[in-house]
Amino acid sequence: MAQAVSWWRYALVGVLVGALALAFYFAATGFPSNKVDAQDFVDLQQGANPHEGFRRAHAKGFCVAGDFISSGALADYSVAEVFAAGSTPLQGRISIAGNNPLAPDLKAPVRSLALSIETAAGDVWRTAMNTPPVMAVRHPQDFYQQLVALGNGTIQQFFAEHPESATFREWAAGYRASGSFATEVYHSINAFYLVAANGERQAVRWRAVPRAERIDAVPAEFADSDDALQQEFTARLRE
């Protein structure tokens, strides 16, 4: 498994193509019924009052930089250079869900970690992970309707009509947000394949697991700020 990323104290166990990015991809390529496209998601997420110059999803966030340090334990399973023993520079972004770049950190329902790791050969490995370990629904068109239901207050009715959301709902009922971005667990939503030198493929899922001890509440000195989690994280890096 990967060793700690120095700036986060994280054991990075893997990679995710973000749930939203996946939704955009399949929405663009289409499903046989209830088809939605990328523009539908854009229009829905930016809302009536778009925040020009910011991302439409996960608009509030900040960038980080560091190193991905691999133990080499996955080298037998993948020819990817990043899994060979050694260190690879990375850039990343930590964010909260929503289209409001001024939203209070502590009120966001989802927290995210995205990384971009570029090898010496110029290969770029981009990851995105969220706190939920699963999506509530299977298809982009259902995800679109889930976002609509969240916006108009009919989400419980939506979940009742989508029994496949049971695993997500069970997780959400037991989830308690950490008091720090650095002590959350970030999950991939999808499975991926590692490909070994002999061509053998191994299906995997990934998560980023904190090495720092969990805190259940943000320290009091930051608690009243809309940027509480960012301030706590910055202070943690100074320690």
Side-chain angles (χ1 to χ4, degrees), residues 7 63-67 88-93 114-118 125:
W7 50 267
C63 295
V64 293
D67 297 282
T88 309
L90 63 79
Q91 296 179 341
R93 186 172 187 265
L115 301 175
S116 178
I117 305 172
E118 183 172 357
W125 178 31

Side-chain angles (χ1 to χ4, degrees), residues 66-155:
D67 297 282
F68 175 76
I69 304 172
S70 172
S71 67
L74 289 179
D76 289 341
Y77 297 89
S78 174
V79 297
E81 182 180 341
V82 73
F83 290 132
S87 176
T88 309
L90 63 79
Q91 296 179 341
R93 186 172 187 265
I94 301 167
S95 63
I96 59 174
N99 67 351
N100 182 3
L102 303 177
D105 289 352
L106 296 178
K107 293 187 177 181
V110 174
R111 300 170 183 177
S112 298
L113 167 65
L115 301 175
S116 178
I117 305 172
E118 183 172 357
T119 70
D123 297 324
V124 179
W125 178 31
R126 294 189 178 97
T127 79
M129 288 170 280
N130 295 328
T131 41
V134 293
M135 294 287 286
V137 291
R138 292 188 292 264
H139 304 310
Q141 61 267 37
D142 292 336
F143 181 50
Y144 179 87
Q145 295 303 325
Q146 179 186 342
L147 296 177
V148 171
L150 282 169
N152 64 22
T154 61
I155 189 62

Side-chain angles (χ1 to χ4, degrees), residues 43-238:
D43 294 342
L44 179 65
Q45 291 187 311
Q46 72 180 11
N49 298 303
H51 297 275
E52 300 294 339
F54 291 91
R55 292 169 50 97
R56 294 178 178 89
H58 294 262
K60 186 176 184 182
F62 59 95
C63 295
V64 293
D67 297 282
F68 175 76
I69 304 172
S70 172
S71 67
L74 289 179
D76 289 341
Y77 297 89
S78 174
V79 297
E81 182 180 341
V82 73
F83 290 132
S87 176
T88 309
L90 63 79
Q91 296 179 341
R93 186 172 187 265
I94 301 167
S95 63
I96 59 174
N99 67 351
N100 182 3
L102 303 177
D105 289 352
L106 296 178
K107 293 187 177 181
V110 174
R111 300 170 183 177
S112 298
L113 167 65
L115 301 175
S116 178
I117 305 172
E118 183 172 357
T119 70
D123 297 324
V124 179
W125 178 31
R126 294 189 178 97
T127 79
M129 288 170 280
N130 295 328
T131 41
V134 293
M135 294 287 286
V137 291
R138 292 188 292 264
H139 304 310
Q141 61 267 37
D142 292 336
F143 181 50
Y144 179 87
Q145 295 303 325
Q146 179 186 342
L147 296 177
V148 171
L150 282 169
N152 64 22
T154 61
I155 189 62
Q156 294 306 319
Q157 178 183 340
F158 175 86
F159 283 151
E161 295 170 353
H162 292 80
E164 72 275 17
S165 66
T167 301
F168 172 83
R169 288 184 282 116
E170 182 180 354
W171 169 83
Y175 171 67
R176 298 294 179 268
S178 166
S180 174
F181 281 127
T183 63
E184 285 284 3
V185 178
Y186 297 89
H187 302 87
S188 68
I189 304 301
N190 307 290
F192 299 90
Y193 285 100
L194 297 180
V195 182
N198 63 2
E200 184 175 346
R201 304 202 314 167
Q202 173 66 55
V204 294
R205 295 189 69 188
W206 308 97
R207 60 179 179 168
V209 181
R211 293 216 173 163
E213 183 177 353
R214 177 186 168 90
I215 60 173
D216 291 323
V218 71
E221 62 190 294
F222 309 121
D224 294 331
S225 172
D226 285 347
D227 302 323
L229 291 173
Q230 180 173 343
Q231 291 175 358
E232 189 281 338
F233 187 84
T234 302
R236 182 181 291 265
L237 290 182
R238 295 195 183 106

